Amino acid sequence: MCYAIPGRIKAITGKIAFVDYFGEERKALNEMEELRKGDFVYAQGGYIIERIPLAEAEEILSVWKETFFELQEADLRLSRLDLEKAGIDRKLGFILDGTIAGRPLSETHAVYLLGRTDPRELDLIFKSANFLRQKHLKNACCVHGILEISNACSQPCLYCGISTHHRTLKRYRMTPDEIVENACLAVARHGFKALVLQSGEDAGYSIGELASVVRRIKAKTPALIFISFGEIGFHGLEQLYEAGARGLLMRFETSNPALYSNLHPGSDLETRLSHLREAYKLGYLLITGGLVGVPGQTREDLVRDLFLAKELHAEMMSFGPFLPHPNTPLKDSGVPEENDILKVLAVTRLLEPTEARILITTAFETLSENARRKGLLAGANSVMLNVTPAQYRRQYEIYPNRAYGDDGIEKQIEDVVNLLASLGRAPTDLGISRAQGRQPRGFALGTPELTG
Ligand code: SAM
């Protein structure tokens, strides 16, 4: 199974490679000095991650070529916008026409959109977002893997089921060997090209150990590695970048400083944001975003969250519902509705029509059975599959009854590939990146052999 279509290098200018995918040209950052025009490569998150032998690339492309254009046609059909807006509120029509014409969405208009409840209006908002996604990003869909390496956590976040509040939770910490083995399996056997390594704030691993894990994975696989270990400090970020990590998944959770401090006793929003800003400066691709529906959050807060994710140069936006956990102080809170989340996904796309990868979170998939399908038709274009070993998966209990808690990775892959095909989406991650234009730090990625 393969989650990327090989592209052919058309030209290289400095660190930017121009990659051709069946006639569509994309740019990607290149850190491989040996790369030449005519080479075939995989790109992820806007990075060239691997050069592929000609015969292998041609074999994969021959399979894709047939379906690639069929998928694009299906996607185009589904995203076609019916501009007949009879009966639709004039203000809504004006805002949506504006975004489709390329006018930036204002905060006031975003608040207005999030306040809509009429099903016909919601339908139009979702379709407009899907139309823009199709227009600018075509039918590419990111499929990343996430490996939850430890559920140990020292933080008392009021909402989180692996926080210190959950005293009865059985804690686990994968050994470095287990992490490397499972990460390599996800890449070599299951075909993932991008992997997130996540844990609670777990002082049980030193930065040196985490760096060694990343280095070992990078020595065996070409995957794009995202780290998600919480606030590890600037030096920690630097050490892990040097070890080969190129992405950081860290949500700021909420852009409201007072709400942030309430939800995270002893922590402050500015420290979190400074990690994200520092990581961006170092060259990390950022996946960030926040919780939707935490007690005390207003619609205006939420809109500022979306604008903050954009301001932080998020490569991928991750906004999902807060789901109360019975062993936390927020156990009696309400749960957002499906449409609340779909509105957030759609408004995110209207705000960020041309570049953003917008993730359908597992929390949303837990909240709503058809989250993936509906989210993909409301502007989203990314999913994450859980590659945590079965014996640990249920213990990573940030909220109860997580979707795909018991599904093996093969079943998750089969489901997502079938869904994407039914929507005309290709599980690719063509290189269009916010990383472009930045000067990445000069650590060579190399072209390691895939071992299994
Ligand atoms: N320690 C890392 C960090 O600080 O980013 C990553 C682990 S943390 C458990 C991962 C994410 O889980 C958080 O960013 C938070 O948004 C999400 N999360 C935690 N509890 C949740 C809940 N009850 N409902 C939905 N999402 C939750």
Side-chain angles (χ1 to χ4, degrees), residues 46-87:
Y47 267 101
I48 305 284
I49 60 162
E50 187 183 11
R51 191 170 60 172
I52 324 160
L54 179 67
E56 191 184 317
E58 282 179 345
E59 194 187 328
I60 298 168
L61 284 175
S62 69
V63 176
W64 270 109
K65 195 168 179 146
E66 290 258 304
T67 48
F68 188 72
F69 295 105
E70 282 170 29
L71 288 172
Q72 276 201 337
E73 181 51 38
D75 180 34
L76 198 61
R77 259 198 326 271
L78 284 167
S79 64
R80 209 152 272 158
L81 198 57
D82 179 4
L83 288 171
E84 179 51 62
K85 293 191 283 290

mmCIF file of all heavy atoms in Angstrom, residues 46-87:
data_model
loop_
_atom_site.group_PDB
_atom_site.id
_atom_site.type_symbol
_atom_site.label_atom_id
_atom_site.label_comp_id
_atom_site.label_asym_id
_atom_site.label_seq_id
_atom_site.Cartn_x
_atom_site.Cartn_y
_atom_site.Cartn_z
ATOM 1 N N GLY A 46 5.509 18.866 1.630
ATOM 2 C CA GLY A 46 6.322 19.847 0.929
ATOM 3 C C GLY A 46 7.811 19.567 0.990
ATOM 4 O O GLY A 46 8.618 20.382 0.578
ATOM 5 N N TYR A 47 8.185 18.427 1.519
ATOM 6 C CA TYR A 47 9.592 18.006 1.563
ATOM 7 C C TYR A 47 9.790 16.834 0.610
ATOM 8 O O TYR A 47 8.958 15.930 0.559
ATOM 9 C CB TYR A 47 9.955 17.460 2.954
ATOM 10 C CG TYR A 47 10.532 18.467 3.901
ATOM 11 C CD1 TYR A 47 9.738 19.029 4.885
ATOM 12 C CD2 TYR A 47 11.873 18.820 3.826
ATOM 13 C CE1 TYR A 47 10.269 19.950 5.780
ATOM 14 C CE2 TYR A 47 12.409 19.737 4.721
ATOM 15 C CZ TYR A 47 11.599 20.296 5.690
ATOM 16 O OH TYR A 47 12.123 21.197 6.576
ATOM 17 N N ILE A 48 10.906 16.840 -0.097
ATOM 18 C CA ILE A 48 11.296 15.628 -0.810
ATOM 19 C C ILE A 48 11.826 14.682 0.262
ATOM 20 O O ILE A 48 12.769 15.027 0.977
ATOM 21 C CB ILE A 48 12.449 15.898 -1.800
ATOM 22 C CG1 ILE A 48 12.092 17.018 -2.774
ATOM 23 C CG2 ILE A 48 12.851 14.615 -2.517
ATOM 24 C CD1 ILE A 48 11.155 16.667 -3.865
ATOM 25 N N ILE A 49 11.216 13.511 0.392
ATOM 26 C CA ILE A 49 11.712 12.625 1.441
ATOM 27 C C ILE A 49 12.514 11.445 0.900
ATOM 28 O O ILE A 49 13.276 10.835 1.625
ATOM 29 C CB ILE A 49 10.579 12.083 2.349
ATOM 30 C CG1 ILE A 49 9.552 11.288 1.557
ATOM 31 C CG2 ILE A 49 9.922 13.194 3.126
ATOM 32 C CD1 ILE A 49 8.722 10.405 2.456
ATOM 33 N N GLU A 50 12.330 11.099 -0.390
ATOM 34 C CA GLU A 50 13.005 9.882 -0.858
ATOM 35 C C GLU A 50 13.135 9.897 -2.373
ATOM 36 O O GLU A 50 12.199 10.295 -3.076
ATOM 37 C CB GLU A 50 12.156 8.664 -0.427
ATOM 38 C CG GLU A 50 12.796 7.339 -0.686
ATOM 39 C CD GLU A 50 11.859 6.176 -0.307
ATOM 40 O OE1 GLU A 50 10.667 6.409 -0.049
ATOM 41 O OE2 GLU A 50 12.342 5.038 -0.290
ATOM 42 N N ARG A 51 14.272 9.456 -2.850
ATOM 43 C CA ARG A 51 14.416 9.230 -4.293
ATOM 44 C C ARG A 51 14.050 7.781 -4.572
ATOM 45 O O ARG A 51 14.391 6.891 -3.787
ATOM 46 C CB ARG A 51 15.856 9.498 -4.726
ATOM 47 C CG ARG A 51 15.993 9.541 -6.226
ATOM 48 C CD ARG A 51 17.328 10.033 -6.643
ATOM 49 N NE ARG A 51 18.379 9.157 -6.125
ATOM 50 C CZ ARG A 51 19.653 9.262 -6.473
ATOM 51 N NH1 ARG A 51 20.038 10.200 -7.291
ATOM 52 N NH2 ARG A 51 20.548 8.444 -5.984
ATOM 53 N N ILE A 52 13.331 7.544 -5.681
ATOM 54 C CA ILE A 52 12.863 6.177 -5.955
ATOM 55 C C ILE A 52 13.482 5.684 -7.257
ATOM 56 O O ILE A 52 13.546 6.437 -8.232
ATOM 57 C CB ILE A 52 11.327 6.134 -6.153
ATOM 58 C CG1 ILE A 52 10.636 7.133 -5.225
ATOM 59 C CG2 ILE A 52 10.769 4.744 -5.922
ATOM 60 C CD1 ILE A 52 9.253 7.459 -5.708
ATOM 61 N N PRO A 53 13.916 4.417 -7.276
ATOM 62 C CA PRO A 53 14.481 3.890 -8.515
ATOM 63 C C PRO A 53 13.470 3.973 -9.668
ATOM 64 O O PRO A 53 12.258 3.817 -9.447
ATOM 65 C CB PRO A 53 14.783 2.425 -8.174
ATOM 66 C CG PRO A 53 14.832 2.381 -6.681
ATOM 67 C CD PRO A 53 13.930 3.453 -6.186
ATOM 68 N N LEU A 54 13.976 4.218 -10.855
ATOM 69 C CA LEU A 54 13.137 4.426 -12.039
ATOM 70 C C LEU A 54 12.117 3.303 -12.227
ATOM 71 O O LEU A 54 10.920 3.550 -12.416
ATOM 72 C CB LEU A 54 14.053 4.538 -13.263
ATOM 73 C CG LEU A 54 13.361 4.738 -14.601
ATOM 74 C CD1 LEU A 54 12.688 6.098 -14.651
ATOM 75 C CD2 LEU A 54 14.370 4.621 -15.749
ATOM 76 N N ALA A 55 12.587 2.046 -12.147
ATOM 77 C CA ALA A 55 11.687 0.907 -12.439
ATOM 78 C C ALA A 55 10.538 0.872 -11.436
ATOM 79 O O ALA A 55 9.375 0.657 -11.795
ATOM 80 C CB ALA A 55 12.477 -0.402 -12.388
ATOM 81 N N GLU A 56 10.883 1.133 -10.173
ATOM 82 C CA GLU A 56 9.852 1.110 -9.131
ATOM 83 C C GLU A 56 8.830 2.224 -9.364
ATOM 84 O O GLU A 56 7.625 2.025 -9.274
ATOM 85 C CB GLU A 56 10.522 1.296 -7.766
ATOM 86 C CG GLU A 56 9.616 1.026 -6.596
ATOM 87 C CD GLU A 56 10.337 1.334 -5.273
ATOM 88 O OE1 GLU A 56 11.523 0.967 -5.136
ATOM 89 O OE2 GLU A 56 9.718 1.952 -4.415
ATOM 90 N N ALA A 57 9.352 3.409 -9.681
ATOM 91 C CA ALA A 57 8.452 4.556 -9.906
ATOM 92 C C ALA A 57 7.539 4.281 -11.090
ATOM 93 O O ALA A 57 6.333 4.532 -11.029
ATOM 94 C CB ALA A 57 9.280 5.811 -10.148
ATOM 95 N N GLU A 58 8.116 3.734 -12.168
ATOM 96 C CA GLU A 58 7.293 3.497 -13.364
ATOM 97 C C GLU A 58 6.209 2.476 -13.091
ATOM 98 O O GLU A 58 5.083 2.598 -13.578
ATOM 99 C CB GLU A 58 8.187 3.076 -14.537
ATOM 100 C CG GLU A 58 8.886 4.288 -15.122
ATOM 101 C CD GLU A 58 9.820 3.979 -16.277
ATOM 102 O OE1 GLU A 58 10.176 2.778 -16.472
ATOM 103 O OE2 GLU A 58 10.206 4.929 -16.953
ATOM 104 N N GLU A 59 6.524 1.476 -12.278
ATOM 105 C CA GLU A 59 5.529 0.455 -11.956
ATOM 106 C C GLU A 59 4.371 1.084 -11.162
ATOM 107 O O GLU A 59 3.198 0.877 -11.466
ATOM 108 C CB GLU A 59 6.187 -0.656 -11.133
ATOM 109 C CG GLU A 59 5.330 -1.902 -11.041
ATOM 110 C CD GLU A 59 5.946 -2.905 -10.071
ATOM 111 O OE1 GLU A 59 7.186 -2.953 -9.967
ATOM 112 O OE2 GLU A 59 5.158 -3.606 -9.413
ATOM 113 N N ILE A 60 4.724 1.894 -10.150
ATOM 114 C CA ILE A 60 3.673 2.517 -9.326
ATOM 115 C C ILE A 60 2.858 3.496 -10.168
ATOM 116 O O ILE A 60 1.626 3.528 -10.111
ATOM 117 C CB ILE A 60 4.296 3.238 -8.112
ATOM 118 C CG1 ILE A 60 5.032 2.232 -7.223
ATOM 119 C CG2 ILE A 60 3.235 3.968 -7.300
ATOM 120 C CD1 ILE A 60 5.913 2.860 -6.157
ATOM 121 N N LEU A 61 3.558 4.260 -11.012
ATOM 122 C CA LEU A 61 2.848 5.252 -11.820
ATOM 123 C C LEU A 61 1.900 4.608 -12.815
ATOM 124 O O LEU A 61 0.828 5.139 -13.102
ATOM 125 C CB LEU A 61 3.854 6.136 -12.559
ATOM 126 C CG LEU A 61 4.547 7.180 -11.681
ATOM 127 C CD1 LEU A 61 5.618 7.921 -12.462
ATOM 128 C CD2 LEU A 61 3.537 8.190 -11.127
ATOM 129 N N SER A 62 2.297 3.424 -13.340
ATOM 130 C CA SER A 62 1.413 2.770 -14.317
ATOM 131 C C SER A 62 0.099 2.384 -13.651
ATOM 132 O O SER A 62 -0.961 2.432 -14.259
ATOM 133 C CB SER A 62 2.105 1.559 -14.944
ATOM 134 O OG SER A 62 2.235 0.551 -13.968
ATOM 135 N N VAL A 63 0.150 2.024 -12.353
ATOM 136 C CA VAL A 63 -1.089 1.689 -11.636
ATOM 137 C C VAL A 63 -1.904 2.967 -11.413
ATOM 138 O O VAL A 63 -3.118 3.011 -11.610
ATOM 139 C CB VAL A 63 -0.754 1.039 -10.264
ATOM 140 C CG1 VAL A 63 -2.015 0.776 -9.470
ATOM 141 C CG2 VAL A 63 0.043 -0.233 -10.467
ATOM 142 N N TRP A 64 -1.217 4.037 -11.011
ATOM 143 C CA TRP A 64 -1.928 5.265 -10.672
ATOM 144 C C TRP A 64 -2.489 5.992 -11.879
ATOM 145 O O TRP A 64 -3.535 6.621 -11.800
ATOM 146 C CB TRP A 64 -0.995 6.219 -9.921
ATOM 147 C CG TRP A 64 -1.045 6.000 -8.442
ATOM 148 C CD1 TRP A 64 -0.067 5.454 -7.667
ATOM 149 C CD2 TRP A 64 -2.131 6.294 -7.570
ATOM 150 N NE1 TRP A 64 -0.492 5.394 -6.357
ATOM 151 C CE2 TRP A 64 -1.759 5.908 -6.275
ATOM 152 C CE3 TRP A 64 -3.399 6.837 -7.751
ATOM 153 C CZ2 TRP A 64 -2.588 6.052 -5.171
ATOM 154 C CZ3 TRP A 64 -4.230 6.984 -6.649
ATOM 155 C CH2 TRP A 64 -3.832 6.593 -5.385
ATOM 156 N N LYS A 65 -1.756 5.896 -13.001
ATOM 157 C CA LYS A 65 -2.133 6.725 -14.145
ATOM 158 C C LYS A 65 -3.585 6.500 -14.543
ATOM 159 O O LYS A 65 -4.327 7.434 -14.798
ATOM 160 C CB LYS A 65 -1.189 6.444 -15.319
ATOM 161 C CG LYS A 65 -1.313 7.507 -16.370
ATOM 162 C CD LYS A 65 -0.233 7.456 -17.390
ATOM 163 C CE LYS A 65 -0.552 8.582 -18.370
ATOM 164 N NZ LYS A 65 0.479 9.239 -18.946
ATOM 165 N N GLU A 66 -3.978 5.229 -14.571
ATOM 166 C CA GLU A 66 -5.358 4.884 -14.942
ATOM 167 C C GLU A 66 -6.356 5.616 -14.069
ATOM 168 O O GLU A 66 -7.288 6.239 -14.548
ATOM 169 C CB GLU A 66 -5.569 3.380 -14.738
ATOM 170 C CG GLU A 66 -4.833 2.516 -15.708
ATOM 171 C CD GLU A 66 -5.752 2.009 -16.780
ATOM 172 O OE1 GLU A 66 -6.754 1.386 -16.418
ATOM 173 O OE2 GLU A 66 -5.464 2.287 -17.961
ATOM 174 N N THR A 67 -6.124 5.481 -12.758
ATOM 175 C CA THR A 67 -7.140 5.955 -11.823
ATOM 176 C C THR A 67 -7.030 7.438 -11.494
ATOM 177 O O THR A 67 -8.010 8.056 -11.115
ATOM 178 C CB THR A 67 -7.070 5.174 -10.495
ATOM 179 O OG1 THR A 67 -5.724 5.136 -10.085
ATOM 180 C CG2 THR A 67 -7.632 3.799 -10.611
ATOM 181 N N PHE A 68 -5.838 8.001 -11.663
ATOM 182 C CA PHE A 68 -5.617 9.377 -11.203
ATOM 183 C C PHE A 68 -6.621 10.354 -11.828
ATOM 184 O O PHE A 68 -7.271 11.130 -11.134
ATOM 185 C CB PHE A 68 -4.183 9.804 -11.546
ATOM 186 C CG PHE A 68 -3.785 11.120 -10.956
ATOM 187 C CD1 PHE A 68 -3.541 11.240 -9.600
ATOM 188 C CD2 PHE A 68 -3.643 12.250 -11.756
ATOM 189 C CE1 PHE A 68 -3.168 12.466 -9.037
ATOM 190 C CE2 PHE A 68 -3.275 13.471 -11.212
ATOM 191 C CZ PHE A 68 -3.035 13.574 -9.856
ATOM 192 N N PHE A 69 -6.789 10.263 -13.129
ATOM 193 C CA PHE A 69 -7.679 11.222 -13.804
ATOM 194 C C PHE A 69 -9.148 10.896 -13.534
ATOM 195 O O PHE A 69 -9.977 11.799 -13.435
ATOM 196 C CB PHE A 69 -7.356 11.266 -15.300
ATOM 197 C CG PHE A 69 -5.968 11.812 -15.551
ATOM 198 C CD1 PHE A 69 -4.922 10.984 -15.912
ATOM 199 C CD2 PHE A 69 -5.704 13.158 -15.359
ATOM 200 C CE1 PHE A 69 -3.636 11.489 -16.090
ATOM 201 C CE2 PHE A 69 -4.428 13.678 -15.539
ATOM 202 C CZ PHE A 69 -3.385 12.836 -15.905
ATOM 203 N N GLU A 70 -9.439 9.591 -13.386
ATOM 204 C CA GLU A 70 -10.823 9.225 -13.024
ATOM 205 C C GLU A 70 -11.173 9.800 -11.660
ATOM 206 O O GLU A 70 -12.259 10.330 -11.442
ATOM 207 C CB GLU A 70 -10.973 7.703 -12.948
ATOM 208 C CG GLU A 70 -11.087 7.029 -14.291
ATOM 209 C CD GLU A 70 -10.988 5.515 -14.144
ATOM 210 O OE1 GLU A 70 -11.380 5.003 -13.087
ATOM 211 O OE2 GLU A 70 -10.497 4.873 -15.088
ATOM 212 N N LEU A 71 -10.248 9.670 -10.715
ATOM 213 C CA LEU A 71 -10.489 10.196 -9.374
ATOM 214 C C LEU A 71 -10.692 11.709 -9.427
ATOM 215 O O LEU A 71 -11.614 12.251 -8.820
ATOM 216 C CB LEU A 71 -9.316 9.876 -8.446
ATOM 217 C CG LEU A 71 -9.162 8.422 -8.017
ATOM 218 C CD1 LEU A 71 -7.853 8.226 -7.266
ATOM 219 C CD2 LEU A 71 -10.319 7.971 -7.137
ATOM 220 N N GLN A 72 -9.851 12.381 -10.203
ATOM 221 C CA GLN A 72 -9.974 13.836 -10.292
ATOM 222 C C GLN A 72 -11.337 14.229 -10.836
ATOM 223 O O GLN A 72 -11.961 15.181 -10.378
ATOM 224 C CB GLN A 72 -8.882 14.389 -11.196
ATOM 225 C CG GLN A 72 -7.577 14.604 -10.457
ATOM 226 C CD GLN A 72 -6.671 15.591 -11.155
ATOM 227 O OE1 GLN A 72 -6.790 15.799 -12.359
ATOM 228 N NE2 GLN A 72 -5.764 16.196 -10.423
ATOM 229 N N GLU A 73 -11.811 13.465 -11.818
ATOM 230 C CA GLU A 73 -13.114 13.769 -12.417
ATOM 231 C C GLU A 73 -14.231 13.586 -11.385
ATOM 232 O O GLU A 73 -15.125 14.431 -11.240
ATOM 233 C CB GLU A 73 -13.318 12.845 -13.648
ATOM 234 C CG GLU A 73 -14.607 13.056 -14.397
ATOM 235 C CD GLU A 73 -14.863 14.522 -14.762
ATOM 236 O OE1 GLU A 73 -13.903 15.246 -15.105
ATOM 237 O OE2 GLU A 73 -16.037 14.949 -14.658
ATOM 238 N N ALA A 74 -14.152 12.497 -10.610
ATOM 239 C CA ALA A 74 -15.170 12.244 -9.577
ATOM 240 C C ALA A 74 -15.146 13.352 -8.537
ATOM 241 O O ALA A 74 -16.192 13.858 -8.112
ATOM 242 C CB ALA A 74 -14.914 10.894 -8.920
ATOM 243 N N ASP A 75 -13.947 13.750 -8.142
ATOM 244 C CA ASP A 75 -13.804 14.802 -7.129
ATOM 245 C C ASP A 75 -14.394 16.113 -7.645
ATOM 246 O O ASP A 75 -15.126 16.819 -6.949
ATOM 247 C CB ASP A 75 -12.312 14.975 -6.803
ATOM 248 C CG ASP A 75 -12.068 16.038 -5.754
ATOM 249 O OD1 ASP A 75 -12.902 16.187 -4.847
ATOM 250 O OD2 ASP A 75 -11.033 16.718 -5.835
ATOM 251 N N LEU A 76 -14.105 16.412 -8.896
ATOM 252 C CA LEU A 76 -14.598 17.650 -9.511
ATOM 253 C C LEU A 76 -16.125 17.664 -9.528
ATOM 254 O O LEU A 76 -16.767 18.659 -9.206
ATOM 255 C CB LEU A 76 -14.045 17.739 -10.934
ATOM 256 C CG LEU A 76 -14.066 19.091 -11.613
ATOM 257 C CD1 LEU A 76 -13.226 20.082 -10.834
ATOM 258 C CD2 LEU A 76 -13.504 18.959 -13.022
ATOM 259 N N ARG A 77 -16.703 16.506 -9.880
ATOM 260 C CA ARG A 77 -18.185 16.411 -9.915
ATOM 261 C C ARG A 77 -18.762 16.716 -8.537
ATOM 262 O O ARG A 77 -19.694 17.491 -8.387
ATOM 263 C CB ARG A 77 -18.585 14.987 -10.321
ATOM 264 C CG ARG A 77 -18.995 14.873 -11.780
ATOM 265 C CD ARG A 77 -19.772 13.621 -12.075
ATOM 266 N NE ARG A 77 -19.418 12.445 -11.323
ATOM 267 C CZ ARG A 77 -18.500 11.548 -11.657
ATOM 268 N NH1 ARG A 77 -17.801 11.721 -12.757
ATOM 269 N NH2 ARG A 77 -18.281 10.489 -10.919
ATOM 270 N N LEU A 78 -18.159 16.087 -7.501
ATOM 271 C CA LEU A 78 -18.699 16.240 -6.144
ATOM 272 C C LEU A 78 -18.529 17.658 -5.603
ATOM 273 O O LEU A 78 -19.276 18.088 -4.739
ATOM 274 C CB LEU A 78 -17.999 15.258 -5.192
ATOM 275 C CG LEU A 78 -18.444 13.812 -5.313
ATOM 276 C CD1 LEU A 78 -17.470 12.903 -4.560
ATOM 277 C CD2 LEU A 78 -19.842 13.620 -4.742
ATOM 278 N N SER A 79 -17.524 18.370 -6.115
ATOM 279 C CA SER A 79 -17.258 19.693 -5.545
ATOM 280 C C SER A 79 -17.908 20.810 -6.349
ATOM 281 O O SER A 79 -17.765 21.978 -6.004
ATOM 282 C CB SER A 79 -15.750 19.930 -5.477
ATOM 283 O OG SER A 79 -15.240 19.958 -6.785
ATOM 284 N N ARG A 80 -18.621 20.445 -7.420
ATOM 285 C CA ARG A 80 -19.203 21.493 -8.266
ATOM 286 C C ARG A 80 -20.180 22.333 -7.444
ATOM 287 O O ARG A 80 -20.990 21.792 -6.693
ATOM 288 C CB ARG A 80 -19.903 20.835 -9.455
ATOM 289 C CG ARG A 80 -19.907 21.704 -10.661
ATOM 290 C CD ARG A 80 -19.955 20.887 -11.934
ATOM 291 N NE ARG A 80 -18.637 20.494 -12.415
ATOM 292 C CZ ARG A 80 -18.418 19.467 -13.221
ATOM 293 N NH1 ARG A 80 -19.395 18.702 -13.607
ATOM 294 N NH2 ARG A 80 -17.193 19.191 -13.632
ATOM 295 N N LEU A 81 -20.067 23.614 -7.581
ATOM 296 C CA LEU A 81 -20.872 24.495 -6.739
ATOM 297 C C LEU A 81 -22.091 24.964 -7.507
ATOM 298 O O LEU A 81 -21.990 25.468 -8.610
ATOM 299 C CB LEU A 81 -20.000 25.699 -6.354
ATOM 300 C CG LEU A 81 -20.438 26.530 -5.195
ATOM 301 C CD1 LEU A 81 -20.577 25.678 -3.941
ATOM 302 C CD2 LEU A 81 -19.411 27.618 -4.946
ATOM 303 N N ASP A 82 -23.257 24.788 -6.895
ATOM 304 C CA ASP A 82 -24.472 25.313 -7.506
ATOM 305 C C ASP A 82 -24.627 26.749 -7.020
ATOM 306 O O ASP A 82 -24.960 27.002 -5.867
ATOM 307 C CB ASP A 82 -25.656 24.450 -7.047
ATOM 308 C CG ASP A 82 -26.937 24.972 -7.635
ATOM 309 O OD1 ASP A 82 -26.868 25.916 -8.436
ATOM 310 O OD2 ASP A 82 -28.002 24.427 -7.288
ATOM 311 N N LEU A 83 -24.357 27.675 -7.916
ATOM 312 C CA LEU A 83 -24.355 29.066 -7.472
ATOM 313 C C LEU A 83 -25.756 29.684 -7.399
ATOM 314 O O LEU A 83 -25.920 30.860 -7.116
ATOM 315 C CB LEU A 83 -23.440 29.896 -8.366
ATOM 316 C CG LEU A 83 -21.947 29.610 -8.138
ATOM 317 C CD1 LEU A 83 -21.085 30.292 -9.180
ATOM 318 C CD2 LEU A 83 -21.502 30.017 -6.741
ATOM 319 N N GLU A 84 -26.757 28.867 -7.662
ATOM 320 C CA GLU A 84 -28.130 29.337 -7.528
ATOM 321 C C GLU A 84 -28.452 29.413 -6.036
ATOM 322 O O GLU A 84 -28.649 28.404 -5.375
ATOM 323 C CB GLU A 84 -29.059 28.339 -8.245
ATOM 324 C CG GLU A 84 -30.532 28.686 -8.181
ATOM 325 C CD GLU A 84 -30.808 30.105 -8.611
ATOM 326 O OE1 GLU A 84 -30.519 30.444 -9.771
ATOM 327 O OE2 GLU A 84 -31.288 30.851 -7.760
ATOM 328 N N LYS A 85 -28.463 30.627 -5.510
ATOM 329 C CA LYS A 85 -28.623 30.733 -4.060
ATOM 330 C C LYS A 85 -29.995 31.283 -3.682
ATOM 331 O O LYS A 85 -30.132 32.014 -2.712
ATOM 332 C CB LYS A 85 -27.520 31.633 -3.493
ATOM 333 C CG LYS A 85 -26.149 31.014 -3.619
ATOM 334 C CD LYS A 85 -25.123 31.776 -2.833
ATOM 335 C CE LYS A 85 -24.694 33.041 -3.510
ATOM 336 N NZ LYS A 85 -23.896 32.873 -4.713
ATOM 337 N N ALA A 86 -31.019 30.953 -4.469
ATOM 338 C CA ALA A 86 -32.363 31.470 -4.193
ATOM 339 C C ALA A 86 -32.737 31.193 -2.740
ATOM 340 O O ALA A 86 -32.557 30.093 -2.251
ATOM 341 C CB ALA A 86 -33.353 30.805 -5.133
ATOM 342 N N GLY A 87 -33.216 32.186 -2.086
ATOM 343 C CA GLY A 87 -33.678 31.985 -0.724
ATOM 344 C C GLY A 87 -32.570 32.060 0.309
ATOM 345 O O GLY A 87 -32.822 31.966 1.498
#
